[in-house]
Amino acid sequence: MARVLTVGVCQMGPVERGEGRAVVVERLLAMLHQAHAKGARLVVFPELALTTFFPRWHMEDGEELDSYFEKEMPSNETQPLFDVARELGVGFYLGYAEQFVDEAGKRRRFNTAVLVDDAGAIVGKYRKVHLPGHYNYEPERPWQHLEKGYFEVGDLGFPVFPAMGGTLGMCICNDRRWPETWRVMGLKDVELVMLGYNTPTGNAVAAESPHLRMFHNHMSIQAGAYQNGTWAAAAARCGIEGGVDMMAGSCIVAPTGEIVALASTNEDEVIVADCDLDRGRYIKETIFNFAEHRRTEHYGIIVEQTGVTSA
Ligand code: CDT
């Protein structure tokens, strides 16, 4: 019998600087209800979904920057998401800025996503590994991308979780462009990769058309899905936010690499697809049968070096 998980992707229009959590959570709840009405049992929200994409602004490490981080999950403000998830029986992926103090008394900050199941319990956590952008203010840029300055590199690897009847994995935005992200989860037999993204339609430092940037967005997700025989569900933040045009194009991709659901607007929108979690099995057993065909004796360089060397 087919293992069908109906998945919803909740694309979000802009959230402005300083906008409160309560308004954002109301929007997320409205989409959770819409997705449920369309039959979804699991939904994906964007990266840093609770606030504006604050790394586009340079902030001295003070009160404003601190205000974008969640000190607990759930909190008073986010608890309604967990309650409604339980009431409706709909799990969710939620991206947010995580802050805590570790055992050594050190403040830690990560770009994080949690997986909440249909009982409203956190069953998985992921911290973004591939942080794009730069560490310090760069005056020549039309907007900043200070993820490297504001977050630490994730320390949890790329775990997968048995949940919602399948094997589920997570990544965040820029991670989708790296084949290593997908292959590590592929080697753990992942069946659905969830991700949220905040991607400007323009390149801040080079000429690149919005069309090409959308092509790279979808190509990365489609290739990652196909080459690992997994579903992928990707939720965008879109529209003009903080004066920057953010890319839409939220999608659900089958293990064949085909886009089976695609957002058609530049604002809050829910798309849904029935995902047969066994759809990728034939891919995993034939063309990408890893045990049969991978040649790890030739792959050492992939983990031994980061940059390119010339002959
Ligand atoms: N949020 C995020 O990871 N965005 C990047 C754009 C980076 S441009 C410096 C992305 O890969 O979409």
Side-chain angles (χ1 to χ4, degrees):
M1 209 178 89
R3 286 185 301 133
V4 176
L5 178 61
T6 303
V7 175
V9 164
C10 300
Q11 173 173 284
M12 287 187 80
V15 176
E16 290 309 332
R17 190 171 182 171
E19 206 172 315
R21 304 280 194 286
V23 179
V24 177
V25 168
E26 279 307 313
R27 282 167 65 185
L28 298 177
L29 286 172
M31 289 198 282
L32 193 55
H33 280 285
Q34 280 177 44
H36 174 252
K38 293 180 179 203
R41 287 189 47 230
L42 176 67
V43 303
V44 180
F45 294 124
E47 174 189 29
L48 300 175
L50 297 168
T51 66
T52 193
F53 186 71
F54 61 89
R56 77 166 62 85
W57 290 290
H58 176 246
M59 289 170 266
E60 296 303 335
D61 190 3
E63 216 174 297
E64 187 187 1
L65 182 57
D66 191 67
S67 75
Y68 290 112
F69 286 83
E70 309 303 312
K71 306 346 183 255
E72 50 184 354
M73 185 59 65
S75 60
N76 285 343
E77 286 145 319
T78 52
Q79 184 64 48
L81 287 167
F82 290 72
D83 295 342
V84 173
R86 193 178 56 250
E87 281 161 29
L88 300 179
V90 180
F92 63 85
Y93 160 112
L94 178 72
Y96 66 100
E98 178 189 15
Q99 177 173 314
F100 62 96
V101 176
D102 69 16
E103 313 78 57
K106 183 172 178 252
R107 186 190 65 197
R108 313 290 301 272
R109 286 175 166 170
F110 295 95
N111 186 341
T112 295
V114 283
L115 171 60
V116 175
D117 71 8
D118 50 355
I122 293 178
V123 293
K125 180 179 275 193
Y126 168 71
R127 293 178 176 142
K128 186 172 182 178
V129 166
H130 298 101
L131 296 173
H134 47 109
Y135 292 93
N136 299 306
Y137 178 66
E138 294 186 356
E140 68 280 10
R141 288 175 174 264
W143 61 83
Q144 303 295 301
H145 197 109
L146 285 157
E147 284 196 63
K148 283 190 191 296
Y150 292 165
F151 303 114
E152 292 179 53
V153 171
D155 58 353
L156 301 174
F158 294 97
V160 299
F161 306 94
M164 309 293 301
T167 302
L168 309 188
M170 297 183 272
C171 66
I172 300 177
C173 197
N174 188 262
D175 287 322
R176 73 196 185 290
R177 304 185 193 274
W178 298 88
E180 294 86 348
T181 298
W182 299 89
R183 184 48 49 88
V184 171
M185 288 189 273
L187 285 165
K188 299 176 184 179
D189 205 15
V190 74
E191 293 174 321
L192 168 67
V193 174
M194 297 162 286
L195 67 107
Y197 61 92
N198 282 280
T199 303
T201 61
N203 187 323
V205 289
E208 199 173 39
S209 75
H211 171 78
L212 191 55
R213 286 172 70 82
M214 182 64 89
F215 170 66
H216 292 156
N217 173 41
H218 286 154
M219 179 179 64
S220 300
I221 300 168
Q222 291 177 261
Y226 167 59
Q227 290 170 349
N228 295 280
T230 179
W231 288 89
R237 167 82 53 89
C238 60
I240 310 287
E241 187 188 85
V244 180
D245 190 15
M246 303 298 284
M247 181 190 290
S250 300
C251 58
I252 300 175
V253 175
T256 52
E258 297 159 288
I259 295 178
V260 298
L262 178 63
S264 58
T265 70
N266 221 15
E267 55 198 42
D268 287 14
E269 180 181 344
V270 178
I271 56 171
V272 165
D274 292 329
C275 303
D276 174 1
L277 298 178
D278 290 322
R279 182 81 178 99
R281 192 51 51 196
Y282 86 95
I283 292 173
K284 290 174 172 176
E285 288 173 356
T286 57
I287 192 81
F288 292 124
N289 180 332
F290 292 161
E292 194 72 22
H293 305 304
R294 291 184 80 240
R295 293 288 169 250
T296 52
E297 68 273 26
H298 297 295
Y299 302 160
I301 193 172
I302 287 177
V303 289
E304 283 157 12
Q305 73 182 57
T306 47
V308 175
T309 52
S310 43

